Amino acid sequence: MQGTLKDVLACKESPTGQYLSGLRSIAVPKKRRAGTGKSLRIRGARENNLKNVDVAIPLGKMVAITGASGSGKSTLINQILYKALWKRFVDTRTLPGEHDAVEGVEHVHKVVSIDQSPIGRNSRSNPATYIGFYDNIRDLLRTRRFRWSAATKPDGSVST
């Protein structure tokens, strides 16, 4: 589906439209991790498609950065936040993307970037497969009796 917000909301087949219109929803968990109460704040992010964006990222919680393709997710995290932290903790010569400030850095003690680049010559060997990440996901799905028909086989194994 492509078009205006009105078009997306009117499209009955669009899962995005169904969520935005309130026809479908995801239940809020009854219990959530409290976090630390602290956050990292990126002020005035202006790199690539970002237009003077301010963002607060809570610490001590699992956080997902979502948005449409080309909306600046990777720029915000990889080019601005990661490089600003890397500059602070590792290499002062690093040049982060254009922004005014990253606040709350005093609450962080190190920065690690884990991407999906292949390790070695096998394109399917990336950090997630190397550390057994997918094994943990498979176990979680099996123990929770989770079943995604498109992703699981009849024996409960998951195709990655």
Side-chain angles (χ1 to χ4, degrees), residues 10-21:
C11 181
K12 301 285 186 218
E13 296 80 34
S14 167
T16 301
Q18 293 170 10
Y19 283 104
L20 291 175
S21 69

Side-chain angles (χ1 to χ4, degrees), residues 56-114:
I57 301 172
L59 296 174
K61 294 184 175 194
M62 176 72 139
V63 177
I65 307 299
T66 65
S69 177
S71 63
K73 304 174 298 290
S74 294
T75 298
L76 180 72
I77 299 304
N78 300 327
Q79 300 303 314
I80 297 175
L81 180 59
Y82 174 73
K83 284 187 176 183
L85 293 172
W86 189 261
K87 180 176 185 170
R88 163 111 183 218
F89 296 120
V90 180
D91 185 354
T92 59
R93 298 169 297 173
T94 301
L95 298 174
E98 198 173 339
H99 68 288
D100 293 332
V102 175
E103 301 167 354
V105 177
E106 67 274 10
H107 306 304
V108 177
H109 67 279
K110 68 179 175 180
V111 61
V112 177
S113 176
I114 301 174

